[in-house]
Amino acid sequence: DTEVTQTPKHLVMGMTNKKSLKCEQHMGHRAMYWYKQKAKKPPELMFVYSYEKLSINESVPSRFSPECPNSSLLNLHLHALQPEDSALYLCASSHASKRGGTDTQYFGPGTRLTVL
Amino acid sequence: AQTVTQSQPEMSVQEAETVTLSCTYDTSESDYYLFWYKQPPSRQMILVIRQEAYKQQNATENRFSVNFQKAAKSFSLKISDSQLGDAAMYFCAYRSNYGGSQGNLIFGKGTKLSVKP
């Protein structure tokens, strides 16, 4: 089973709201990723967690706060977002080695975020 | 730095026909993976096929096959017997087999494939 689930499917929020996106996988993967995707563009990497530790932060604004509470869950906490943050947010997971290598990434269905 | 180029922003194919999507990449590394991902309008990114650089044999998954030309740094995707469900955005991606940030996926800009009934 190569399933990554994401909730919610859609989210509309105001610029003063606080919300969270959730991602879950039960494939035993130890690397998890957050991507941002604008319409008709490829995904842009935001964060990478490896063995529940943040290993890569691609200079993402602090209004995006990732969290990896355990090996199956990945959250993205949102606060004080801007309208330009409206996008599809994709989660992915893959096998990982302690030496830093990763394997094929499997993606979730995404959360469509609209910031008013 | 590695780059991935998809030179065809849009392609169209008749149902049951064959279509080939192009992808070229630039790298100085010898150990890497190449991928084709499909993203239908329903938006989930689905792995279509992957190729390890050290394997000379072209990868095949049912109606999907690749033409991997390592020296030319070319990785095209052939879809045979096209079906309406093949309509999607197709992304070519590169991943170094080294660790750290080098293991991140590098995507091309995508090719939008339409299938005509």
Side-chain angles (χ1 to χ4, degrees), chain A residues 4 9-10 35 37 40-43 45 48 56 58 88 90 100-110 112, chain B residues 33 35 37 39 42-47 50 89 91 95 97-101 103-105 107-109 112:
Chain A
V4 178
K9 289 186 178 180
H10 301 274
Y35 288 87
Q37 187 180 25
K40 299 183 181 180
K41 299 288 186 183
L45 183 66
V48 181
I56 295 174
E58 294 286 353
L88 181 67
L90 294 167
T102 58
D103 201 351
T104 301
Q105 292 183 31
Y106 295 92
F107 286 81
R112 175 75 64 192
Chain B
Y33 277 89
F35 304 86
Y37 282 93
Q39 190 175 33
S42 63
R43 78 194 179 201
Q44 182 156 9
M45 191 86 75
I46 301 165
L47 177 68
R50 75 172 190 175
M89 182 73 86
F91 291 101
R95 179 178 68 79
N97 225 13
Y98 298 94
S101 61
N104 295 343
L105 282 175
F107 288 95
K109 291 186 176 181
K112 183 179 180 182

Side-chain angles (χ1 to χ4, degrees), chain A residues 13-62:
Chain A
M13 60 186 292
M15 289 190 285
T16 58
N17 292 155
K18 288 185 180 181
K19 297 286 185 183
S20 296
L21 310 184
K22 180 180 174 181
C23 173
E24 192 167 4
Q25 57 87 16
H26 295 286
M27 295 179 279
H29 291 169
R30 299 306 292 274
M32 297 186 77
Y33 311 76
W34 280 116
Y35 288 87
K36 174 183 178 180
Q37 187 180 25
K38 289 284 200 179
K40 299 183 181 180
K41 299 288 186 183
E44 299 171 23
L45 183 66
M46 300 174 72
F47 302 104
V48 181
Y49 272 83
S50 181
Y51 289 85
E52 295 85 71
K53 291 185 180 179
L54 184 64
S55 61
I56 295 174
N57 176 341
E58 294 286 353
S59 302
V60 179
S62 60

Side-chain angles (χ1 to χ4, degrees), chain B residues 8 15 18 22 43 48-50 58 62 73 77 85 95:
Chain B
Q8 306 152 315
E15 195 175 5
T18 296
S22 301
R43 78 194 179 201
V48 175
I49 202 163
R50 75 172 190 175
N58 290 324
N62 300 314
K73 296 178 183 175
L77 175 70
R95 179 178 68 79

Side-chain angles (χ1 to χ4, degrees), chain B residues 52-98:
Chain B
E52 188 174 2
Y54 275 114
K55 292 187 177 178
Q56 292 185 339
Q57 187 172 4
N58 290 324
T60 299
E61 289 286 341
N62 300 314
R63 298 182 294 107
F64 299 87
S65 62
V66 296
N67 184 2
F68 174 48
Q69 301 289 328
K70 191 173 183 179
K73 296 178 183 175
S74 172
F75 183 61
S76 61
L77 175 70
K78 185 172 83 170
I79 306 174
S80 303
D81 185 25
S82 296
Q83 300 175 0
L84 295 177
D86 295 332
M89 182 73 86
Y90 285 81
F91 291 101
C92 179
Y94 170 102
R95 179 178 68 79
S96 170
N97 225 13
Y98 298 94

